[in-house]
Amino acid sequence: MSGVMTPGASQEGRRPAIEIKGVHKAFGDLHVLKGIDLEVMPGTVTAILGPSGSGKSTLLRLINQLEERTAGEIIVGGELTGYKRIGDGGLQRLDDKAIARQRSKIGMVFQRFNLFPHMTALGNVMEAPVHVGKVPKAQAKREAIRQLERVGLGDRLDYYPSQLSGGQQQRVAIARALAMHPQIMLFDEPTSALDPELVGEVLGVMKQVAAEGMTMVVVTHEMGFAREVAGQIVFMDDGVVVEHGGPEIIDRPSSPRFREFLRTVL
Amino acid sequence: MLGRDRDDGLDIPGRIQARPVRKPGPVIAAVIVAVLVAMLVHGLVTNPNFDWPTVWKYLFNEHVLDGIKWTLLLTVYAMVLATVLAVVLAVMRKSVNPVLRWVSWFFIWFFRGTPVYTQLVFWGLFAVLVPKLAVGIPFGPEFLSFNTQDVLNATIATVLGLGLNEAAYLSEIVRAGIEAVDTGQTEAAQALGMPRSMIMRRVILPQAMRIIVPPTGNETIGMLKTTSLALAVPFTLELQFATNAIANRIYKTIPLLIVACIWYLLITSVLMVVQAQLEKHYGKGFNARPLAAKHGSAGEGGRGTGPDAKQEVDKVNQVMMAGLNA
């Protein structure tokens, strides 16, 4: 299941970047995820597709512990997330600091950007390296400028989010996440809140990040992007993984539900 | 408005130069208000009971000026204490620790639920109720002890009384501000690996300030006048007490009330300017005008202010200035 962007790099023998085993999530009596098993290999792009309400965003949020899972295991970089094992095989919840440390290895980009509106583009990107990563300010600033240049916003350093277009804001958000040098990047419908003409610039940056070998999990409705960039396609519906495989399954879906879904979105 | 249309420097053919709709309302209102104001001023000036000579005589009286100093000091001290405590209480209210939540709730319940006058009387009597204060192990030996009277003088009692009471109100304002910040902000900060306390300090509170400042300005102006209740402690140096004392001495109540009112109004006006400045500071990034723009060229693919962004910004600035001067 090697990614399109890492041709020839066989993943056999290597540990998955993310292992999801038998994960359930319930909000009250609403059973959103009903036993998810999934592996994401390092340096690959996984696209999660599915109708709204299928639980794909919830799965992404579980990986980054923005929600607590109800059952199952999520292992990131070989490390169990959210809990530690104690003597008798039981689990104990990790404290705030340990969870924050685990999260800092995973970058996340949100549908609604969630930039800090009281900071400039540069301030947004510098914030976590300076205050979480304890990088000296001058160095963090240099790196932040580099990150913003990388997403094509070197001339917008001192702009506040409210002065930027949606596409520019989302590119700042990507730069902000990359500034922490994460091992994994999660994208939660990164282009769904954008005007159609701005989608391309964000997808372009994402392709570039993928090409640089970043492990990415992307919840998206952009079929073209999924087919072109993703090495693994996961189709979810009603809280379960209905079908998964290489990008070719978009053109040759085997399950009727995936076929039905593709007919409605393509 | 007309000025702005002409000054925009754009060459638009066939620009509409219509006359405005006739609006007699403002003219009628202006006439009525002018008559009423004239009557009021006439009354104020000619009515001998207001006794303006006495007002002028005592306006800069040293006891009055001293009273102003103390009123300002009490206001500042009490508000500083209240603000610090209010933020702590509000954060405790949102804590994951149930004990802290409960303590905060109880504090607010008590200090909001009893009259501030009563609280001030209580702080005045505190030295009588608890004559000795000590530092040591609870129920165990004491390391340090002092007479309450020496520590808790009238000034400190007043500041404590006013500050604790105000903290209860302010903390609800702070809480409202915290709750108004979008949850996506917390999630983004969490995803960056920030621990809870840092998210509060770096992300939530700075944004909450925008919502907190206006009602806090309101509370500060309220506090300015609540200091006049300090006589309950009793604290007898602030403005209201000072003018009242003079009034009682010379048997002229009204002129000295006017003196007090003039000073309270003046100080309030200054506070309003300070509040406006604070609102501007914490509104940074929230008003989407391109005033803060510094760079000339727009990024590729952006919605784009175009290569003339800088000029446009300057123009907007000029228009704004023109609008302000008009």
Side-chain angles (χ1 to χ4, degrees):
Chain A
M1 217 159 289
S2 72
V4 163
M5 286 300 152
T6 52
S10 169
Q11 311 294 343
E12 267 120 55
R14 289 176 71 185
R15 184 121 213 207
I18 308 172
E19 297 166 77
I20 298 170
K21 297 178 186 171
V23 162
H24 286 253
K25 174 64 186 176
F27 294 100
D29 57 0
L30 187 67
H31 202 169
V32 180
L33 295 179
K34 303 165 182 169
I36 303 287
D37 293 282
L38 193 65
E39 286 188 355
V40 175
M41 294 312 267
T44 66
V45 177
T46 298
I48 305 181
L49 314 175
S52 62
S54 59
K56 51 197 194 310
S57 283
T58 304
L59 180 62
L60 212 61
R61 293 163 62 82
L62 284 180
I63 295 172
N64 210 8
Q65 305 183 61
L66 292 179
E67 311 281 357
E68 281 178 44
R69 57 186 181 271
T70 311
E73 286 183 359
I74 297 179
I75 297 162
V76 173
E79 188 182 352
L80 183 67
T81 64
Y83 301 88
K84 63 183 172 197
R85 296 183 204 286
I86 45 174
D88 54 354
L91 293 175
Q92 187 180 13
R93 186 104 184 100
L94 290 177
D95 61 20
D96 186 41
K97 263 215 181 89
I99 290 174
R101 187 184 54 78
Q102 289 185 338
R103 282 190 184 125
S104 68
K105 296 180 189 166
I106 305 173
M108 185 153 183
V109 175
F110 298 86
Q111 183 179 355
R112 303 217 52 86
F113 327 137
N114 296 347
L115 289 179
F116 304 134
H118 57 302
M119 300 176 192
T120 60
L122 186 62
N124 267 279
V125 180
M126 280 174 66
E127 180 65 17
V130 170
H131 291 97
V132 180
K134 305 293 175 205
V135 177
K137 235 182 180 150
Q139 185 190 340
K141 186 175 176 181
R142 276 198 307 277
E143 283 190 27
I145 292 172
R146 205 174 50 81
Q147 293 290 358
L148 282 165
E149 282 168 350
R150 204 170 141 193
V151 298
L153 291 171
D155 58 348
R156 287 288 187 272
L157 301 178
D158 296 324
Y159 281 56
Y160 285 95
S162 58
Q163 298 165 327
L164 299 171
S165 73
Q168 290 170 335
Q169 287 188 55
Q170 192 62 298
R171 284 188 281 154
V172 173
I174 294 171
R176 176 176 71 172
L178 288 173
M180 283 299 282
H181 301 295
Q183 294 158 11
I184 298 161
M185 285 281 285
L186 308 176
F187 295 82
D188 188 4
E189 303 198 28
T191 57
S192 297
L194 296 176
D195 292 337
E197 80 271 20
L198 303 178
V199 168
E201 67 188 63
V202 171
L203 291 181
V205 168
M206 288 169 63
K207 277 178 204 169
Q208 178 193 328
V209 174
E212 288 164 18
M214 176 65 73
T215 309
M216 290 169 50
V217 182
V218 186
V219 170
T220 186
H221 294 292
E222 296 292 328
M223 290 304 144
F225 174 82
R227 193 186 334 221
E228 185 186 341
V229 180
Q232 176 175 229
I233 304 288
V234 176
F235 173 69
M236 285 177 65
D237 192 12
D238 200 24
V240 294
V241 174
V242 175
E243 193 172 342
H244 76 119
E248 70 281 355
I249 66 168
I250 292 179
D251 301 312
R252 289 185 295 279
S254 54
S255 66
R257 274 149 95 187
F258 192 21
R259 208 171 303 140
E260 178 60 29
F261 172 75
L262 287 168
R263 208 178 14 245
T264 56
V265 295
L266 285 178
Chain B
M1 291 305 281
L2 265 178
R4 183 184 289 189
D5 291 343
R6 287 196 194 120
D7 291 345
D8 61 12
L10 297 176
D11 181 26
I12 298 171
R15 187 190 285 267
I16 295 171
Q17 300 274 9
R19 288 192 192 152
V21 176
R22 279 177 203 283
K23 288 184 191 143
V27 178
I28 296 170
V31 170
I32 294 172
V33 170
V35 170
L36 288 175
V37 168
M39 285 166 70
L40 185 70
V41 170
H42 179 77
L44 281 174
V45 173
T46 56
N47 188 334
N49 292 333
F50 290 115
D51 195 358
W52 290 100
T54 312
V55 171
W56 299 134
K57 186 176 164 196
Y58 285 98
L59 193 56
F60 297 101
N61 178 285
E62 68 172 301
H63 294 291
V64 171
L65 293 180
D66 206 44
I68 292 164
K69 185 191 87 184
W70 280 105
T71 290
L72 285 174
L73 281 177
L74 289 181
T75 305
V76 169
Y77 290 157
M79 284 310 287
V80 167
L81 173 67
T83 308
V84 172
L85 209 54
V87 172
V88 173
L89 284 167
V91 171
M92 279 166 71
R93 213 44 216 286
K94 308 291 292 174
S95 168
V96 284
N97 183 333
V99 178
L100 295 185
R101 277 206 305 272
W102 191 83
V103 167
S104 173
W105 181 90
F106 180 85
F107 183 99
I108 293 163
W109 172 77
F110 182 83
F111 282 96
R112 232 171 29 159
T114 53
V116 62
Y117 190 88
T118 314
Q119 287 172 32
L120 286 168
V121 172
F122 171 84
W123 285 110
L125 294 173
F126 193 80
V128 181
L129 290 167
V130 186
K132 254 185 151 183
L133 291 175
V135 181
I137 296 166
F139 309 109
E142 296 173 358
F143 304 136
L144 252 176
S145 82
F146 15 18
N147 286 327
T148 309
Q149 239 172 347
D150 302 336
V151 190
L152 200 75
N153 60 34
T155 311
I156 292 179
T158 308
V159 169
L160 270 179
L162 292 173
L164 294 188
N165 180 264
E166 185 59 38
Y169 286 91
L170 269 186
S171 79
E172 288 293 277
I173 291 173
V174 175
R175 186 170 65 94
I178 289 173
E179 283 171 4
V181 177
D182 182 41
T183 51
Q185 293 289 309
T186 306
E187 292 186 349
Q190 282 177 332
L192 288 167
M194 292 193 190
R196 286 180 63 95
S197 56
M198 189 189 292
I199 295 173
M200 186 56 82
R201 208 175 59 243
R202 297 283 314 166
V203 177
I204 307 292
L205 281 177
Q207 294 184 58
M209 287 305 285
R210 203 171 53 96
I211 291 147
I212 292 168
V213 166
T216 301
N218 212 23
E219 292 291 311
T220 309
I221 288 167
M223 175 62 79
L224 181 73
K225 288 162 293 181
T226 311
T227 53
S228 61
L229 292 182
L231 75 121
V233 169
F235 179 91
T236 55
L237 295 169
E238 50 77 36
L239 179 59
Q240 180 66 48
F241 195 95
T243 52
N244 211 11
I246 298 170
N248 289 342
R249 184 158 52 77
I250 63 173
Y251 301 110
K252 285 182 176 174
T253 312
I254 297 293
L256 281 134
L257 284 180
I258 294 175
V259 169
C261 279
I262 289 173
W263 280 112
Y264 280 122
L265 268 174
L266 194 76
I267 300 168
T268 303
S269 310
V270 173
L271 288 177
M272 285 167 74
V273 174
V274 174
Q275 181 185 338
Q277 291 300 316
L278 279 174
E279 283 179 28
K280 215 164 106 189
H281 174 76
Y282 287 109
K284 255 192 325 196
F286 284 92
N287 16 13
R289 293 207 188 91
L291 291 176
K294 282 180 189 160
H295 297 269
S297 60
E300 79 287 5
R303 198 170 292 166
T305 33
D308 298 330
K310 178 90 174 82
Q311 284 167 15
E312 273 179 37
V313 169
D314 289 346
K315 241 174 260 162
V316 173
N317 281 329
Q318 281 162 14
V319 171
M320 293 285 294
M321 290 312 290
L324 288 174
N325 292 336

